[in-house]
Amino acid sequence: MEKEKQEIHHEDLALKTAAQYFGEELMPLMGISGTIALIAPTESVKLEARQMYQDFNYVMADNGWVHLEFESDSITLEDLRRFREYEAATSRAHKVAVTTCVICSSRVERLKTELTEGINVYRVRAIRMQDQDADHVFSQLKEKQERGEKLQKADLVPLLLTPLMSGRLSVEDRIVKSLKILQKEESAVTELEMEKMQAVLYTFADKFLNARELERVKEMIAMTRLGKMLVEDGFKQGVEQGIGQGMERGIALTKRILRLSASGCAPEQIARDCGIGLKEVNHILKEDDEL
């Protein structure tokens, strides 16, 4: 359980690092207009004390908020209800207008962006880049390298969006290939910039890949600057907080998962509410069934 809690903490750090880079570099490339002023909170607590974890929130220069969500599957009506709930809670708590943009992988075919219930119509904006070819991005970089040209930051940034594009390679292979290219071209950007780029790719892996595919990416990340940073931070957190405190948090999380399951919540919803992966939820529920 302590290991699982450390993994959750590491993923949280990677997501926070990626959030900053998304706002600074990638949102304009995805056609999301406006100037970001701040990164906004992503956790809302309702009256029944159910925590709602969103992916990325940004405070824009016009004081409105942009809320980003990631979907590897088709957008369902239940997804739209969930996004609407996020928006309503955030808007009421912070007294702001919120626009939700759903970032979809290229394999998503059916894009449902509108929910009509009663007299109300709720909409999200779907962001997909299937018209752009990941294979072309990789081939351009390869040609530059073969000509002996030194790659610049502008050459590397498009790599971060290849998981959203079309192409022959799977999303998993695109992420792994992009990580390898970044590792070879570390001198093209600063150390901090490299960590942010790696964090963005890790975020896509966490959102779009299954457990087996994600393990392969984690092995790659472990060898990068970001991976070393996460390991060092995890060790520091363990020393500062102590094993006992970690066990207490783990026990509390387990109790909460079992309580939500007993109330009829699906594992997917439990994972969202608790801010952990579906794999961890299923593991805990399975262990409880075997007792």
Side-chain angles (χ1 to χ4, degrees), residues 2-249:
E2 181 65 23
K3 180 181 178 181
E4 291 177 357
K5 288 297 292 180
Q6 287 181 359
E7 287 181 354
I8 294 168
H9 175 70
H10 292 173
E11 290 173 3
D12 183 57
L13 281 176
L15 290 175
K16 287 179 179 177
T17 302
Q20 181 181 358
Y21 205 80
F22 252 94
E24 293 174 350
E25 302 288 345
L26 301 185
M27 280 174 55
L29 296 182
M30 292 187 289
I32 302 176
S33 60
T35 302
I36 293 172
L38 297 168
I39 295 176
T42 57
E43 179 179 338
S44 299
V45 181
K46 292 182 66 180
L47 184 60
E48 67 264 30
R50 180 166 64 85
Q51 291 176 308
M52 298 184 294
Y53 289 94
Q54 301 161 65
D55 287 334
F56 296 160
N57 276 338
Y58 297 95
V59 178
M60 308 303 287
D62 63 2
N63 294 323
W65 284 28
V66 168
H67 167 215
L68 299 188
E69 284 288 331
F70 298 83
E71 285 295 328
S72 59
D73 300 318
S74 298
I75 302 173
T76 65
L77 288 176
E78 188 57 36
D79 289 327
L80 291 174
R81 290 189 179 99
R82 176 164 53 89
F83 300 153
R84 180 179 61 178
E85 186 178 10
Y86 290 163
E87 277 195 25
T90 300
S91 178
R92 185 172 184 182
H94 299 279
K95 296 179 175 57
V96 294
V98 183
T99 300
T100 294
C101 297
V102 185
I103 300 173
C104 307
S105 63
S106 61
R107 62 190 178 195
V108 174
E109 296 180 0
R110 293 178 290 114
L111 290 178
K112 189 181 294 293
T113 61
E114 187 172 297
L115 172 67
T116 301
E117 290 188 330
I119 64 172
N120 299 307
V121 178
Y122 170 71
R123 296 186 182 91
V124 298
R125 179 183 174 192
I127 304 293
R128 64 192 315 190
M129 305 185 70
Q130 64 174 2
D131 293 336
Q132 298 190 37
D133 188 358
D135 299 329
H136 180 64
V137 174
F138 291 130
S139 64
Q140 277 193 320
L141 293 183
K142 184 178 180 181
E143 289 173 5
K144 282 194 172 185
Q145 290 173 324
E146 289 176 346
R147 292 197 300 266
E149 296 182 25
K150 187 176 178 61
L151 298 184
Q152 305 296 323
K153 173 184 171 181
D155 300 312
L156 299 178
V157 169
L159 284 174
L160 309 184
L161 296 177
T162 56
L164 305 178
M165 301 177 184
S166 60
R168 291 173 298 173
L169 293 176
S170 66
V171 174
E172 174 191 4
D173 288 335
R174 290 178 219 168
I175 292 174
V176 169
K177 188 168 185 175
S178 296
L179 284 170
K180 288 180 179 179
I181 294 174
L182 289 180
Q183 280 183 287
K184 291 181 181 179
E185 302 294 336
E186 284 188 327
S187 61
V189 295
T190 65
E191 292 181 355
L192 180 59
E193 190 94 22
M194 181 59 63
E195 289 171 3
K196 292 178 180 180
M197 288 182 166
Q198 291 164 347
V200 169
L201 289 172
Y202 182 85
T203 298
F204 281 131
D206 183 59
K207 300 297 181 181
F208 294 153
L209 303 184
N210 60 39
R212 179 190 59 78
E213 295 167 337
L214 183 58
E215 283 304 314
R216 181 184 175 198
V217 174
K218 284 183 176 181
E219 290 175 2
M220 286 276 315
I221 288 290
M223 298 182 289
T224 65
R225 289 193 54 82
L226 175 66
K228 293 175 182 177
M229 178 189 75
L230 297 181
V231 170
E232 290 171 359
D233 185 84
F235 177 77
K236 180 181 178 182
Q237 289 285 329
V239 172
E240 290 177 349
Q241 297 174 3
I243 299 300
Q245 186 177 349
M247 290 179 64
E248 289 177 4
R249 290 198 307 273

